[in-house]
Amino acid sequence: MRNTGTIYNSADHTPVVLPEMAELLPPLTGEQLATLETDLLKNGCYSPIIVNEDMVIIDGHNRQRLCEQHGLPYQMAVFSFEDLLEAKQWALDTQKGRRNLDKWELGKIALRLKPDIEARAKENMSAGGGDQRSDDARSGFANSQNPVSAVNTTKELADAVGIGQQTMSRVIQIDEHAPAAVKEALDSGDLSINQGYNITRQVQELPEEQRDEAAAMAVELEKAKKEIRQIDAEADRRGKISGTFCKAFERALALTPTEENVRIWVECTRMRPDEIEYSAQEAQELAEVFSTIAGILKTLVPGGDAGAG
């Protein structure tokens, strides 16, 4: 990849939208798109759209579309890439730092790169060998007729998006074999890749006409388990908060803040002047914390401040 230094203006040149580039990354959420639109309308398009030497947009599809929609001018910076695969890889690496993509989303992006990476892997593939140690290879779950090509391609795909090879292997198996219910649950975040993979393997052992229903039931079971875990986690969180307050009050009430007791504390701990000053500041901050707690507690008393409305 090389920045050619060439800059074009939208008034003079029209970029090309290539579907396989535009659809490489998952679409922005409604909120993300609205934020981007607001920024463009307020500040203009201050970052150039990246195009290759054929004027194909490599990065900035959403900005370019919104600019065209609102009649906003924009600039295009021309970058030189070895091929479209390098351009896709560069766009992915650039966007990964801006978006919070999970492993399933990254795996799906890798699948979009698969045709290009497979072609490259075949060129570099050496004769013989293969990964006969993996669980998938031993079980026969991987259906590739060429173990060497399958393993090399999987590694290339995994490296391209920055996930583990085993994770990528499971994404491939899910993509090829999983019923729709499993993929939908992964898209919505209700299943992890491992859960989706395990369900896929389990239903593969059933007659084909039973797989969809069995997968849907397994997904609902995992969703119910997840909900229970969330409820338990929330109860645990609330318990910890309650325990912290109880302990704080127990310890605070055990203090008798007379001048004599404070002097004893300072003398026995051999506080330096700077430590005394710091402790005084901490005591003041604690006083403000307890004052805030007192104010909140008063609003919880029936007929108190909370009842004024």
Side-chain angles (χ1 to χ4, degrees), residues 82-295:
E82 181 181 346
D83 52 27
L84 202 56
L85 177 57
E86 185 185 34
K88 291 176 181 178
Q89 183 69 67
W90 181 86
L92 172 59
D93 291 342
T94 300
Q95 287 293 332
K96 275 174 64 178
R98 303 175 187 169
R99 301 201 199 179
N100 186 23
L101 302 174
D102 62 29
K103 290 183 180 180
W104 171 245
E105 289 172 318
L106 291 170
K108 290 200 299 181
I109 292 171
L111 293 176
R112 298 187 188 107
L113 300 176
K114 190 176 181 182
D116 297 316
I117 289 180
E118 280 183 332
R120 178 182 290 179
K122 287 180 181 178
E123 293 177 3
N124 299 330
M125 184 175 58
S126 58
D131 182 8
Q132 301 298 328
R133 297 174 297 172
S134 70
D135 292 339
D136 289 341
R138 288 199 301 269
S139 67
F141 190 49
N143 290 336
S144 172
Q145 295 181 355
N146 191 330
V148 179
S149 176
V151 169
N152 287 345
T153 301
T154 300
K155 185 178 186 305
E156 291 289 335
L157 290 169
D159 291 344
V161 296
I163 62 177
Q165 184 174 339
Q166 183 183 58
T167 298
M168 189 67 238
S169 174
R170 295 187 171 189
V171 169
I172 293 172
Q173 297 303 329
I174 291 169
D175 179 66
E176 294 178 354
H177 304 291
V182 173
K183 295 180 181 179
E184 290 170 3
L186 280 160
D187 288 339
S188 63
D190 290 321
L191 287 183
S192 68
I193 290 175
N194 285 342
Q195 290 170 328
Y197 174 76
N198 290 334
I199 292 174
T200 301
R201 292 193 67 167
Q202 291 164 8
V203 300
Q204 282 295 111
E205 300 173 1
L206 300 174
E208 187 173 354
E209 64 273 12
Q210 298 179 17
R211 292 174 187 171
D212 288 344
E213 182 178 359
M217 291 177 63
V219 167
E220 289 304 315
L221 178 59
E222 289 298 334
K223 289 167 67 174
K225 290 179 180 178
K226 181 180 180 180
E227 185 175 349
I228 291 171
R229 288 194 297 270
Q230 290 173 337
I231 292 172
D232 289 344
E234 176 62 12
D236 184 58
R237 184 186 73 87
R238 291 169 64 88
K240 287 180 179 178
I241 291 173
S242 177
T244 300
F245 272 73
C246 289
K247 289 177 182 178
F249 267 76
E250 287 172 3
R251 292 174 181 175
L253 291 173
L255 298 174
T256 305
T258 64
E259 182 176 350
E260 180 185 3
N261 287 345
V262 172
R263 287 183 179 277
I264 290 173
W265 171 42
V266 170
E267 291 169 2
C268 288
T269 56
R270 297 180 181 178
M271 284 191 195
R272 300 189 307 268
D274 61 316
E275 291 175 330
I276 294 174
E277 185 177 352
Y278 180 73
S279 296
Q281 181 181 345
E282 276 193 320
Q284 186 61 50
E285 291 173 356
L286 287 172
E288 292 174 2
V289 168
F290 277 93
S291 177
T292 300
I293 293 172

